[in-house]
PDB file of all heavy atoms in Angstrom:
ATOM      1  N   THR A 643      41.039 131.038 154.020  1.00 96.00           N
ATOM      2  CA  THR A 643      41.182 132.497 153.963  1.00 96.00           C
ATOM      3  C   THR A 643      42.291 132.998 153.018  1.00 96.00           C
ATOM      4  O   THR A 643      42.350 134.160 152.659  1.00 96.00           O
ATOM      5  CB  THR A 643      41.435 133.134 155.316  1.00 96.00           C
ATOM      6  OG1 THR A 643      42.668 132.554 155.841  1.00 96.00           O
ATOM      7  CG2 THR A 643      40.336 132.831 156.278  1.00 96.00           C
ATOM      8  N   HIS A 644      43.171 132.059 152.553  1.00 97.00           N
ATOM      9  CA  HIS A 644      44.131 132.446 151.509  1.00 97.00           C
ATOM     10  C   HIS A 644      43.423 132.917 150.259  1.00 97.00           C
ATOM     11  O   HIS A 644      43.946 133.683 149.425  1.00 97.00           O
ATOM     12  CB  HIS A 644      45.046 131.253 151.107  1.00 97.00           C
ATOM     13  CG  HIS A 644      46.053 130.897 152.128  1.00 97.00           C
ATOM     14  ND1 HIS A 644      46.394 131.751 153.149  1.00 97.00           N
ATOM     15  CD2 HIS A 644      46.847 129.781 152.275  1.00 97.00           C
ATOM     16  CE1 HIS A 644      47.350 131.200 153.893  1.00 97.00           C
ATOM     17  NE2 HIS A 644      47.630 130.049 153.384  1.00 97.00           N
ATOM     18  N   PHE A 645      42.177 132.446 150.013  1.00 97.00           N
ATOM     19  CA  PHE A 645      41.423 132.833 148.855  1.00 97.00           C
ATOM     20  C   PHE A 645      40.522 134.041 149.076  1.00 97.00           C
ATOM     21  O   PHE A 645      39.759 134.401 148.169  1.00 97.00           O
ATOM     22  CB  PHE A 645      40.529 131.608 148.429  1.00 97.00           C
ATOM     23  CG  PHE A 645      41.293 130.443 147.867  1.00 97.00           C
ATOM     24  CD1 PHE A 645      41.720 129.459 148.692  1.00 97.00           C
ATOM     25  CD2 PHE A 645      41.638 130.379 146.561  1.00 97.00           C
ATOM     26  CE1 PHE A 645      42.399 128.356 148.289  1.00 97.00           C
ATOM     27  CE2 PHE A 645      42.392 129.311 146.075  1.00 97.00           C
ATOM     28  CZ  PHE A 645      42.759 128.263 146.949  1.00 97.00           C
ATOM     29  N   LYS A 646      40.619 134.686 150.197  1.00 97.00           N
ATOM     30  CA  LYS A 646      39.917 135.899 150.456  1.00 97.00           C
ATOM     31  C   LYS A 646      40.667 137.072 149.942  1.00 97.00           C
ATOM     32  O   LYS A 646      41.701 137.540 150.580  1.00 97.00           O
ATOM     33  CB  LYS A 646      39.630 136.088 151.985  1.00 97.00           C
ATOM     34  CG  LYS A 646      38.656 137.281 152.209  1.00 97.00           C
ATOM     35  CD  LYS A 646      38.298 137.441 153.668  1.00 97.00           C
ATOM     36  CE  LYS A 646      37.338 138.618 153.866  1.00 97.00           C
ATOM     37  NZ  LYS A 646      37.034 138.851 155.312  1.00 97.00           N
ATOM     38  N   VAL A 647      40.326 137.554 148.801  1.00 98.00           N
ATOM     39  CA  VAL A 647      41.019 138.677 148.094  1.00 98.00           C
ATOM     40  C   VAL A 647      40.016 139.684 147.640  1.00 98.00           C
ATOM     41  O   VAL A 647      38.792 139.429 147.602  1.00 98.00           O
ATOM     42  CB  VAL A 647      41.795 138.136 146.880  1.00 98.00           C
ATOM     43  CG1 VAL A 647      42.968 137.265 147.350  1.00 98.00           C
ATOM     44  CG2 VAL A 647      40.900 137.358 145.912  1.00 98.00           C
ATOM     45  N   THR A 648      40.495 140.864 147.324  1.00 97.00           N
ATOM     46  CA  THR A 648      39.646 141.906 146.788  1.00 97.00           C
ATOM     47  C   THR A 648      40.311 142.558 145.555  1.00 97.00           C
ATOM     48  O   THR A 648      41.514 142.890 145.680  1.00 97.00           O
ATOM     49  CB  THR A 648      39.257 142.918 147.841  1.00 97.00           C
ATOM     50  OG1 THR A 648      38.400 143.928 147.217  1.00 97.00           O
ATOM     51  CG2 THR A 648      40.478 143.660 148.358  1.00 97.00           C
ATOM     52  N   PRO A 649      39.637 142.690 144.412  1.00 97.00           N
ATOM     53  CA  PRO A 649      38.289 142.178 144.179  1.00 97.00           C
ATOM     54  C   PRO A 649      38.198 140.671 144.326  1.00 97.00           C
ATOM     55  O   PRO A 649      39.222 139.953 144.236  1.00 97.00           O
ATOM     56  CB  PRO A 649      38.040 142.572 142.676  1.00 97.00           C
ATOM     57  CG  PRO A 649      39.393 142.632 142.095  1.00 97.00           C
ATOM     58  CD  PRO A 649      40.271 143.149 143.178  1.00 97.00           C
ATOM     59  N   PRO A 650      36.956 140.148 144.656  1.00 97.00           N
ATOM     60  CA  PRO A 650      36.850 138.728 144.897  1.00 97.00           C
ATOM     61  C   PRO A 650      37.034 137.872 143.712  1.00 97.00           C
ATOM     62  O   PRO A 650      36.950 138.351 142.538  1.00 97.00           O
ATOM     63  CB  PRO A 650      35.410 138.608 145.418  1.00 97.00           C
ATOM     64  CG  PRO A 650      34.688 139.750 144.800  1.00 97.00           C
ATOM     65  CD  PRO A 650      35.700 140.869 144.679  1.00 97.00           C
ATOM     66  N   LEU A 651      37.269 136.575 143.869  1.00 98.00           N
ATOM     67  CA  LEU A 651      37.274 135.640 142.804  1.00 98.00           C
ATOM     68  C   LEU A 651      35.875 135.555 142.220  1.00 98.00           C
ATOM     69  O   LEU A 651      34.880 135.485 142.977  1.00 98.00           O
ATOM     70  CB  LEU A 651      37.747 134.232 143.287  1.00 98.00           C
ATOM     71  CG  LEU A 651      39.087 134.202 144.029  1.00 98.00           C
ATOM     72  CD1 LEU A 651      39.346 132.822 144.618  1.00 98.00           C
ATOM     73  CD2 LEU A 651      40.193 134.622 143.069  1.00 98.00           C
ATOM     74  N   ARG A 652      35.765 135.574 140.922  1.00 98.00           N
ATOM     75  CA  ARG A 652      34.431 135.647 140.282  1.00 98.00           C
ATOM     76  C   ARG A 652      34.071 134.297 139.654  1.00 98.00           C
ATOM     77  O   ARG A 652      34.337 133.220 140.209  1.00 98.00           O
ATOM     78  CB  ARG A 652      34.444 136.782 139.245  1.00 98.00           C
ATOM     79  CG  ARG A 652      34.773 138.155 139.772  1.00 98.00           C
ATOM     80  CD  ARG A 652      33.646 138.787 140.580  1.00 98.00           C
ATOM     81  NE  ARG A 652      33.983 140.140 140.951  1.00 98.00           N
ATOM     82  CZ  ARG A 652      33.217 140.916 141.717  1.00 98.00           C
ATOM     83  NH1 ARG A 652      32.081 140.422 142.225  1.00 98.00           N
ATOM     84  NH2 ARG A 652      33.529 142.172 141.977  1.00 98.00           N
ATOM     85  N   THR A 653      33.455 134.295 138.466  1.00 97.00           N
ATOM     86  CA  THR A 653      32.935 133.119 137.850  1.00 97.00           C
ATOM     87  C   THR A 653      33.837 132.716 136.627  1.00 97.00           C
ATOM     88  O   THR A 653      34.667 133.486 136.205  1.00 97.00           O
ATOM     89  CB  THR A 653      31.513 133.302 137.348  1.00 97.00           C
ATOM     90  OG1 THR A 653      31.546 134.231 136.265  1.00 97.00           O
ATOM     91  CG2 THR A 653      30.587 133.794 138.450  1.00 97.00           C
ATOM     92  N   GLN A 654      33.569 131.524 136.098  1.00 98.00           N
ATOM     93  CA  GLN A 654      34.339 131.047 134.914  1.00 98.00           C
ATOM     94  C   GLN A 654      34.015 131.991 133.697  1.00 98.00           C
ATOM     95  O   GLN A 654      34.909 132.237 132.932  1.00 98.00           O
ATOM     96  CB  GLN A 654      33.992 129.610 134.578  1.00 98.00           C
ATOM     97  CG  GLN A 654      34.909 129.039 133.525  1.00 98.00           C
ATOM     98  CD  GLN A 654      36.353 129.027 133.925  1.00 98.00           C
ATOM     99  OE1 GLN A 654      36.700 128.574 135.014  1.00 98.00           O
ATOM    100  NE2 GLN A 654      37.243 129.525 133.113  1.00 98.00           N
ATOM    101  N   THR A 655      32.807 132.517 133.668  1.00 98.00           N
ATOM    102  CA  THR A 655      32.414 133.398 132.574  1.00 98.00           C
ATOM    103  C   THR A 655      33.317 134.640 132.666  1.00 98.00           C
ATOM    104  O   THR A 655      33.817 135.179 131.609  1.00 98.00           O
ATOM    105  CB  THR A 655      30.991 133.830 132.655  1.00 98.00           C
ATOM    106  OG1 THR A 655      30.188 132.648 132.503  1.00 98.00           O
ATOM    107  CG2 THR A 655      30.591 134.798 131.558  1.00 98.00           C
ATOM    108  N   ASP A 656      33.533 135.148 133.859  1.00 98.00           N
ATOM    109  CA  ASP A 656      34.363 136.340 134.048  1.00 98.00           C
ATOM    110  C   ASP A 656      35.864 136.004 133.675  1.00 98.00           C
ATOM    111  O   ASP A 656      36.496 136.796 133.013  1.00 98.00           O
ATOM    112  CB  ASP A 656      34.302 136.795 135.517  1.00 98.00           C
ATOM    113  CG  ASP A 656      32.932 137.322 135.890  1.00 98.00           C
ATOM    114  OD1 ASP A 656      32.457 138.232 135.148  1.00 98.00           O
ATOM    115  OD2 ASP A 656      32.390 136.906 136.937  1.00 98.00           O
ATOM    116  N   ILE A 657      36.277 134.850 134.126  1.00 98.00           N
ATOM    117  CA  ILE A 657      37.699 134.438 133.806  1.00 98.00           C
ATOM    118  C   ILE A 657      37.912 134.372 132.284  1.00 98.00           C
ATOM    119  O   ILE A 657      38.931 134.869 131.777  1.00 98.00           O
ATOM    120  CB  ILE A 657      38.067 133.060 134.452  1.00 98.00           C
ATOM    121  CG1 ILE A 657      38.209 133.263 135.975  1.00 98.00           C
ATOM    122  CG2 ILE A 657      39.334 132.523 133.847  1.00 98.00           C
ATOM    123  CD1 ILE A 657      38.533 132.003 136.710  1.00 98.00           C
ATOM    124  N   ASP A 658      36.961 133.796 131.605  1.00 98.00           N
ATOM    125  CA  ASP A 658      37.092 133.646 130.146  1.00 98.00           C
ATOM    126  C   ASP A 658      37.140 135.012 129.447  1.00 98.00           C
ATOM    127  O   ASP A 658      37.958 135.271 128.591  1.00 98.00           O
ATOM    128  CB  ASP A 658      35.870 132.880 129.606  1.00 98.00           C
ATOM    129  CG  ASP A 658      35.894 131.433 129.993  1.00 98.00           C
ATOM    130  OD1 ASP A 658      36.937 130.916 130.439  1.00 98.00           O
ATOM    131  OD2 ASP A 658      34.827 130.791 129.899  1.00 98.00           O
ATOM    132  N   ALA A 659      36.306 135.952 129.972  1.00 98.00           N
ATOM    133  CA  ALA A 659      36.321 137.310 129.419  1.00 98.00           C
ATOM    134  C   ALA A 659      37.627 138.065 129.734  1.00 98.00           C
ATOM    135  O   ALA A 659      38.173 138.822 128.920  1.00 98.00           O
ATOM    136  CB  ALA A 659      35.147 138.142 129.927  1.00 98.00           C
ATOM    137  N   LEU A 660      38.113 137.875 130.959  1.00 98.00           N
ATOM    138  CA  LEU A 660      39.398 138.495 131.355  1.00 98.00           C
ATOM    139  C   LEU A 660      40.579 137.965 130.521  1.00 98.00           C
ATOM    140  O   LEU A 660      41.400 138.773 130.056  1.00 98.00           O
ATOM    141  CB  LEU A 660      39.726 138.217 132.847  1.00 98.00           C
ATOM    142  CG  LEU A 660      38.795 138.905 133.838  1.00 98.00           C
ATOM    143  CD1 LEU A 660      38.927 138.293 135.221  1.00 98.00           C
ATOM    144  CD2 LEU A 660      39.101 140.400 133.916  1.00 98.00           C
ATOM    145  N   ILE A 661      40.541 136.625 130.267  1.00 98.00           N
ATOM    146  CA  ILE A 661      41.657 136.080 129.413  1.00 98.00           C
ATOM    147  C   ILE A 661      41.548 136.609 127.978  1.00 98.00           C
ATOM    148  O   ILE A 661      42.574 136.992 127.367  1.00 98.00           O
ATOM    149  CB  ILE A 661      41.600 134.534 129.424  1.00 98.00           C
ATOM    150  CG1 ILE A 661      42.006 134.037 130.857  1.00 98.00           C
ATOM    151  CG2 ILE A 661      42.473 133.899 128.350  1.00 98.00           C
ATOM    152  CD1 ILE A 661      41.864 132.554 131.064  1.00 98.00           C
ATOM    153  N   ASP A 662      40.310 136.723 127.456  1.00 98.00           N
ATOM    154  CA  ASP A 662      40.135 137.334 126.148  1.00 98.00           C
ATOM    155  C   ASP A 662      40.634 138.786 126.162  1.00 98.00           C
ATOM    156  O   ASP A 662      41.276 139.233 125.177  1.00 98.00           O
ATOM    157  CB  ASP A 662      38.643 137.300 125.776  1.00 98.00           C
ATOM    158  CG  ASP A 662      38.221 135.912 125.322  1.00 98.00           C
ATOM    159  OD1 ASP A 662      39.050 135.051 125.105  1.00 98.00           O
ATOM    160  OD2 ASP A 662      36.956 135.706 125.271  1.00 98.00           O
ATOM    161  N   GLY A 663      40.408 139.504 127.249  1.00 98.00           N
ATOM    162  CA  GLY A 663      40.828 140.873 127.353  1.00 98.00           C
ATOM    163  C   GLY A 663      42.340 140.981 127.408  1.00 98.00           C
ATOM    164  O   GLY A 663      42.919 141.949 126.873  1.00 98.00           O
ATOM    165  N   VAL A 664      43.002 140.029 128.045  1.00 98.00           N
ATOM    166  CA  VAL A 664      44.451 139.992 128.041  1.00 98.00           C
ATOM    167  C   VAL A 664      44.992 139.721 126.593  1.00 98.00           C
ATOM    168  O   VAL A 664      45.934 140.405 126.167  1.00 98.00           O
ATOM    169  CB  VAL A 664      44.963 138.900 129.008  1.00 98.00           C
ATOM    170  CG1 VAL A 664      46.432 138.628 128.839  1.00 98.00           C
ATOM    171  CG2 VAL A 664      44.687 139.327 130.464  1.00 98.00           C
ATOM    172  N   LYS A 665      44.361 138.803 125.944  1.00 97.00           N
ATOM    173  CA  LYS A 665      44.845 138.410 124.650  1.00 97.00           C
ATOM    174  C   LYS A 665      44.688 139.536 123.603  1.00 97.00           C
ATOM    175  O   LYS A 665      45.515 139.680 122.727  1.00 97.00           O
ATOM    176  CB  LYS A 665      44.119 137.132 124.156  1.00 97.00           C
ATOM    177  CG  LYS A 665      44.570 135.875 124.963  1.00 97.00           C
ATOM    178  CD  LYS A 665      43.828 134.635 124.470  1.00 97.00           C
ATOM    179  CE  LYS A 665      44.358 133.379 125.147  1.00 97.00           C
ATOM    180  NZ  LYS A 665      43.611 132.161 124.807  1.00 97.00           N
ATOM    181  N   ASP A 666      43.579 140.263 123.732  1.00 96.00           N
ATOM    182  CA  ASP A 666      43.338 141.279 122.686  1.00 96.00           C
ATOM    183  C   ASP A 666      43.906 142.647 123.094  1.00 96.00           C
ATOM    184  O   ASP A 666      43.756 143.624 122.330  1.00 96.00           O
ATOM    185  CB  ASP A 666      41.889 141.375 122.322  1.00 96.00           C
ATOM    186  CG  ASP A 666      40.951 142.012 123.372  1.00 96.00           C
ATOM    187  OD1 ASP A 666      41.440 142.588 124.306  1.00 96.00           O
ATOM    188  OD2 ASP A 666      39.745 141.839 123.245  1.00 96.00           O
ATOM    189  N   GLY A 667      44.515 142.752 124.255  1.00 96.00           N
ATOM    190  CA  GLY A 667      45.171 144.016 124.661  1.00 96.00           C
ATOM    191  C   GLY A 667      44.299 144.958 125.375  1.00 96.00           C
ATOM    192  O   GLY A 667      44.748 146.053 125.789  1.00 96.00           O
ATOM    193  N   THR A 668      43.035 144.619 125.601  1.00 98.00           N
ATOM    194  CA  THR A 668      42.147 145.462 126.404  1.00 98.00           C
ATOM    195  C   THR A 668      42.726 145.653 127.809  1.00 98.00           C
ATOM    196  O   THR A 668      42.794 146.718 128.402  1.00 98.00           O
ATOM    197  CB  THR A 668      40.737 144.902 126.495  1.00 98.00           C
ATOM    198  OG1 THR A 668      40.159 144.840 125.186  1.00 98.00           O
ATOM    199  CG2 THR A 668      39.851 145.770 127.326  1.00 98.00           C
ATOM    200  N   ILE A 669      43.185 144.516 128.375  1.00 98.00           N
ATOM    201  CA  ILE A 669      43.858 144.516 129.656  1.00 98.00           C
ATOM    202  C   ILE A 669      45.360 144.703 129.394  1.00 98.00           C
ATOM    203  O   ILE A 669      45.993 143.868 128.734  1.00 98.00           O
ATOM    204  CB  ILE A 669      43.607 143.252 130.469  1.00 98.00           C
ATOM    205  CG1 ILE A 669      42.049 143.098 130.789  1.00 98.00           C
ATOM    206  CG2 ILE A 669      44.383 143.192 131.725  1.00 98.00           C
ATOM    207  CD1 ILE A 669      41.647 141.815 131.431  1.00 98.00           C
ATOM    208  N   ASP A 670      45.927 145.769 129.931  1.00 97.00           N
ATOM    209  CA  ASP A 670      47.286 146.166 129.586  1.00 97.00           C
ATOM    210  C   ASP A 670      48.366 145.374 130.247  1.00 97.00           C
ATOM    211  O   ASP A 670      49.487 145.248 129.748  1.00 97.00           O
ATOM    212  CB  ASP A 670      47.487 147.642 129.923  1.00 97.00           C
ATOM    213  CG  ASP A 670      46.503 148.523 129.155  1.00 97.00           C
ATOM    214  OD1 ASP A 670      45.349 148.739 129.659  1.00 97.00           O
ATOM    215  OD2 ASP A 670      46.863 148.986 128.061  1.00 97.00           O
ATOM    216  N   MET A 671      48.091 144.868 131.475  1.00 97.00           N
ATOM    217  CA  MET A 671      49.124 144.215 132.238  1.00 97.00           C
ATOM    218  C   MET A 671      48.503 143.285 133.235  1.00 97.00           C
ATOM    219  O   MET A 671      47.339 143.429 133.650  1.00 97.00           O
ATOM    220  CB  MET A 671      50.076 145.236 132.900  1.00 97.00           C
ATOM    221  CG  MET A 671      49.367 146.101 133.896  1.00 97.00           C
ATOM    222  SD  MET A 671      50.257 147.670 134.290  1.00 97.00           S
ATOM    223  CE  MET A 671      49.765 148.740 132.935  1.00 97.00           C
ATOM    224  N   VAL A 672      49.314 142.265 133.720  1.00 98.00           N
ATOM    225  CA  VAL A 672      48.907 141.474 134.802  1.00 98.00           C
ATOM    226  C   VAL A 672      49.771 141.844 136.005  1.00 98.00           C
ATOM    227  O   VAL A 672      50.859 142.413 135.913  1.00 98.00           O
ATOM    228  CB  VAL A 672      49.145 139.978 134.488  1.00 98.00           C
ATOM    229  CG1 VAL A 672      48.246 139.497 133.336  1.00 98.00           C
ATOM    230  CG2 VAL A 672      50.578 139.623 134.237  1.00 98.00           C
ATOM    231  N   THR A 673      49.246 141.520 137.191  1.00 98.00           N
ATOM    232  CA  THR A 673      49.987 141.815 138.420  1.00 98.00           C
ATOM    233  C   THR A 673      49.831 140.642 139.421  1.00 98.00           C
ATOM    234  O   THR A 673      48.792 139.984 139.434  1.00 98.00           O
ATOM    235  CB  THR A 673      49.489 143.125 139.125  1.00 98.00           C
ATOM    236  OG1 THR A 673      50.132 143.257 140.389  1.00 98.00           O
ATOM    237  CG2 THR A 673      48.005 143.164 139.299  1.00 98.00           C
ATOM    238  N   SER A 674      50.812 140.405 140.218  1.00 98.00           N
ATOM    239  CA  SER A 674      50.703 139.447 141.313  1.00 98.00           C
ATOM    240  C   SER A 674      49.793 139.961 142.360  1.00 98.00           C
ATOM    241  O   SER A 674      49.222 139.237 143.129  1.00 98.00           O
ATOM    242  CB  SER A 674      52.080 139.146 141.884  1.00 98.00           C
ATOM    243  OG  SER A 674      52.562 140.240 142.596  1.00 98.00           O
ATOM    244  N   ASP A 675      49.592 141.323 142.419  1.00 98.00           N
ATOM    245  CA  ASP A 675      48.934 142.024 143.516  1.00 98.00           C
ATOM    246  C   ASP A 675      49.378 141.534 144.887  1.00 98.00           C
ATOM    247  O   ASP A 675      48.592 141.171 145.769  1.00 98.00           O
ATOM    248  CB  ASP A 675      47.384 141.863 143.366  1.00 98.00           C
ATOM    249  CG  ASP A 675      46.612 142.950 144.078  1.00 98.00           C
ATOM    250  OD1 ASP A 675      47.193 144.018 144.324  1.00 98.00           O
ATOM    251  OD2 ASP A 675      45.445 142.742 144.405  1.00 98.00           O
ATOM    252  N   HIS A 676      50.686 141.401 144.964  1.00 98.00           N
ATOM    253  CA  HIS A 676      51.404 140.834 146.124  1.00 98.00           C
ATOM    254  C   HIS A 676      51.084 141.639 147.352  1.00 98.00           C
ATOM    255  O   HIS A 676      51.441 142.816 147.462  1.00 98.00           O
ATOM    256  CB  HIS A 676      52.889 140.842 145.853  1.00 98.00           C
ATOM    257  CG  HIS A 676      53.774 140.297 146.922  1.00 98.00           C
ATOM    258  ND1 HIS A 676      54.024 138.913 147.011  1.00 98.00           N
ATOM    259  CD2 HIS A 676      54.518 140.879 147.893  1.00 98.00           C
ATOM    260  CE1 HIS A 676      54.850 138.719 147.996  1.00 98.00           C
ATOM    261  NE2 HIS A 676      55.158 139.917 148.577  1.00 98.00           N
ATOM    262  N   ASN A 677      50.393 141.003 148.358  1.00 98.00           N
ATOM    263  CA  ASN A 677      49.995 141.752 149.559  1.00 98.00           C
ATOM    264  C   ASN A 677      50.195 140.839 150.780  1.00 98.00           C
ATOM    265  O   ASN A 677      49.280 140.096 151.174  1.00 98.00           O
ATOM    266  CB  ASN A 677      48.527 142.158 149.430  1.00 98.00           C
ATOM    267  CG  ASN A 677      48.091 143.047 150.571  1.00 98.00           C
ATOM    268  OD1 ASN A 677      48.903 143.496 151.375  1.00 98.00           O
ATOM    269  ND2 ASN A 677      46.785 143.260 150.685  1.00 98.00           N
TER     270      ASN A 677
END
C-alpha cells in the first residue's frame, strides 16, 4: 500500500514522456507530494 498514490503509477511510456516534459520545460517543477 506504500505504492497506492493518486494520481496512480502509470506505464513506462508515460514515465518516458514525463521525463521528456521535465527536460524540455513543459513540466515546470517536481514535487515530493509529501503526504
Side-chain angles (χ1 to χ4, degrees):
T643 59
H644 285 346
F645 292 91
K646 187 178 181 183
V647 291
T648 182
L651 305 175
R652 302 287 187 183
T653 68
Q654 190 60 51
T655 299
D656 293 308
I657 288 179
D658 292 343
L660 290 165
I661 289 174
D662 286 345
V664 167
K665 288 179 176 177
D666 70 15
T668 299
I669 297 174
D670 300 87
M671 61 199 85
V672 298
T673 173
S674 68
D675 204 20
H676 181 83
N677 187 11

